[in-house]
Amino acid sequence: MRPRRQDHRSRPAVPGTAARLNSASALTRRSFLTLGTSALALGVCGRAAAASPGVPFGAAIQSDHFDDETYRQLFLDHCDMIVPMNELKFGLLQWERGEFDFTRADMLVDFARENGRTSRGHTFVWHSTNPPWLETITDAREGEAVLVEHIERVADHFRGRLTEWDVVNEVISNDPTRDASGALRDTVWTRLLGPRHIPIAFQAAARADPGAALVVNDYGLEPEGEVAEAKRRVMLDLVRQLQDANIRVDAVGLQAHLYAHFRVDVEGLGRFKEELERLGVGLTITELDVIDFQIHGGSRRQDRAAARVVSDLLDAVLAGPPPRALVTWGITDRHSWVDGSMPHADGTPSRPLPLDANDQPKAWYLDLRRRLTSAD
Ligand code: G3I
């Protein structure tokens, strides 16, 4: 494991980044410093213990299908890491204010542990899947107390059982080059607390689970084009600003919901990874799948297109030090969010995941496993 940098004060400023974060929701050095907190004790940056050699492979599991023994077995057959897809989200843990229900999340995390697998936590802060009561809060102090209490209670409950936490998810705006909210997405948390909800969340997580790696997770960082390039710049700026404020951030989570009709920016993503390495920050691929509604002509074409984008992603992320883990957002095409959200217009089933609807491995998945195994 590489040592993590502990003092970021000597890092030269990157020209232009501050100017890009110029909206009402911009991250400013001042917004972090107004926290009035001192340097935090740095926690352990642990790598997922892997049952197989190389980069640990994981997949997201859903409690909705947990009664299906065949489904459960797929995770044991294929995964080093088993990740609750939805059960650790705010609204699923604290639907009623102050009443925490860990039943479903515990079931999945314990299933992983009892079978010698690891798990990672997704997620404390997100704009989606929040309980209605959260949206009614208008007082900043009350909002901060709710945020800190939620993170402390949840991180404490799972302490020692999760290798990583997505502390914040999708805080970068959908299109930082155009969105009115600027660099950051307009959410319940920015409306209540502004950009400082991010360092507040990281500090609470670091206090509550010093052993878990703390991750900033986002989507749309992989493709070619100016929007993804802007998102990568904002992500790097966010990481630097957290480090400048002596706030621990261990890794960036690359969701990698890849569109089969887009190209992965192998060079741009490679440069992004190198910059993270210079900052002493790791990379986890957190939600890989392939969105193929624009690929017509049958399953072989869909799988060929998927193989190309996945291979390009691997070219970028396996160059240099290996990522901490690679997680797919589900394991079998029988259960994926993709057909619900981005279906083929003619009803053709999507093929987003490692195993097809008959639970048979696709060629791109076998290739991915070979490359992960030899990537250490
Ligand atoms: O659990 C209930 C079930 O009891 C009920 O029968 C069923 C009826 O519709 O709904 C089930 O809940 C659904 C849940 O997924 C579990 O399947 C929710 O309605 C649905 O909104 C929820 O969607 C999830 C979505 O995040 C919102 O939380 C998707 O499964 C999940 O794949 C998706 O994951 C997100 C990541 O968290 C962040 N990145 C993007 C990714 C894809 O959108």
Side-chain angles (χ1 to χ4, degrees):
M1 190 179 73
R2 271 174 304 121
R4 219 150 28 74
R5 261 183 41 182
Q6 303 215 352
D7 182 350
H8 312 287
R9 280 167 299 187
S10 58
R11 183 183 44 71
V14 178
T17 47
R20 287 177 218 288
L21 295 161
N22 57 0
S23 75
S25 69
L27 301 161
T28 65
R29 179 180 294 251
R30 201 153 61 106
S31 67
F32 287 177
L33 296 181
T34 48
L35 279 171
T37 50
S38 57
L40 291 173
L42 295 171
V44 182
C45 177
R47 213 193 90 167
S52 50
V55 176
F57 172 78
I61 190 168
Q62 292 176 267
S63 58
D64 288 350
H65 314 301
F66 197 71
D67 287 345
D68 172 355
E69 193 186 336
T70 311
Y71 174 77
R72 278 201 313 270
Q73 187 61 38
L74 294 176
F75 291 86
L76 302 181
D77 291 345
H78 291 275
C79 298
D80 305 310
M81 181 182 264
I82 301 174
V83 180
M85 182 182 286
N86 295 308
E87 292 72 7
L88 290 164
K89 291 171 181 173
F90 199 120
L92 278 90
L93 292 175
Q94 200 188 166
W95 182 250
E96 300 291 346
R97 187 167 180 174
E99 291 177 23
F100 289 79
D101 182 356
F102 296 111
T103 316
R104 283 177 164 223
D106 277 339
M107 177 179 76
L108 299 181
V109 172
D110 291 346
F111 170 68
R113 276 172 68 79
E114 284 159 10
N115 287 288
R117 272 50 171 202
T118 59
S119 296
R120 64 187 307 280
H122 172 82
T123 174
F124 293 130
V125 169
W126 193 24
H127 63 270
S128 171
T129 318
N130 290 320
W133 62 263
L134 188 61
E135 304 279 346
T136 66
I137 298 174
T138 51
D139 177 70
R141 263 190 302 192
E142 188 185 351
E144 181 170 345
V146 163
L147 175 61
V148 169
E149 192 206 355
H150 181 85
I151 293 174
E152 286 181 350
R153 288 281 299 271
V154 175
D156 182 58
H157 180 84
F158 290 100
R159 188 169 47 218
R161 292 195 280 160
L162 301 173
T163 57
E164 303 187 343
W165 264 110
D166 290 335
V167 178
V168 297
N169 184 46
E170 302 177 1
V171 290
I172 298 173
S173 59
N174 189 46
D175 180 353
T177 68
R178 284 183 190 80
D179 285 1
S181 66
L184 294 187
R185 181 187 294 269
D186 177 31
T187 70
V188 60
W189 297 114
T190 53
R191 290 191 291 276
L192 274 172
L193 298 167
R196 75 191 180 94
H197 77 277
I198 299 171
I200 290 170
F202 271 86
Q203 287 176 308
R207 276 195 307 273
D209 190 351
L214 305 184
V215 180
V216 47
N217 192 46
D218 223 306
Y219 70 93
L221 299 158
E222 307 86 9
E224 289 181 339
E226 61 166 20
V227 175
E229 202 179 303
K231 292 186 89 154
R232 291 193 293 267
R233 273 200 305 269
V234 173
M235 179 63 91
L236 289 171
D237 216 25
L238 175 54
V239 167
R240 289 190 192 100
Q241 290 195 40
L242 288 167
Q243 291 185 333
D244 279 352
N246 274 317
I247 288 170
R248 176 163 71 91
V249 51
D250 298 302
V252 162
L254 209 62
Q255 289 190 1
H257 295 292
L258 303 178
Y259 288 87
H261 61 289
F262 284 0
R263 301 299 303 235
V264 169
D265 186 347
V266 179
E267 274 184 33
L269 199 51
R271 282 195 300 274
F272 175 72
K273 181 166 178 263
E274 283 166 16
E275 191 55 40
L276 291 176
E277 284 156 17
R278 273 193 282 278
L279 296 170
V281 169
L283 189 73
T284 302
I285 293 81
T286 54
E287 305 183 17
L288 173 65
D289 55 19
V290 180
I291 299 161
D292 64 11
F293 68 94
Q294 291 280 28
I295 309 297
H296 310 294
S299 58
R300 290 170 74 152
R301 287 196 183 185
Q302 288 167 273
D303 290 353
R304 265 206 307 275
R308 191 196 61 183
V309 283
V310 171
S311 172
D312 286 350
L313 176 80
L314 294 176
D315 287 348
V317 302
L318 296 181
R324 298 168 56 85
L326 183 149
V327 177
T328 56
W329 208 234
I331 189 79
T332 166
D333 289 347
R334 287 192 285 128
H335 300 300
S336 164
W337 69 289
V338 171
D339 259 335
S341 297
M342 279 171 285
H344 286 248
D346 65 1
T348 299
S350 299
R351 297 177 62 87
L353 288 166
L355 311 179
D356 67 17
N358 296 313
D359 298 339
Q360 294 306 302
K362 296 176 189 158
W364 67 255
Y365 167 60
L366 298 174
D367 183 56
L368 175 147
R369 292 305 300 266
R370 271 192 297 273
R371 293 183 67 178
L372 295 186
T373 302
S374 54
D376 223 353

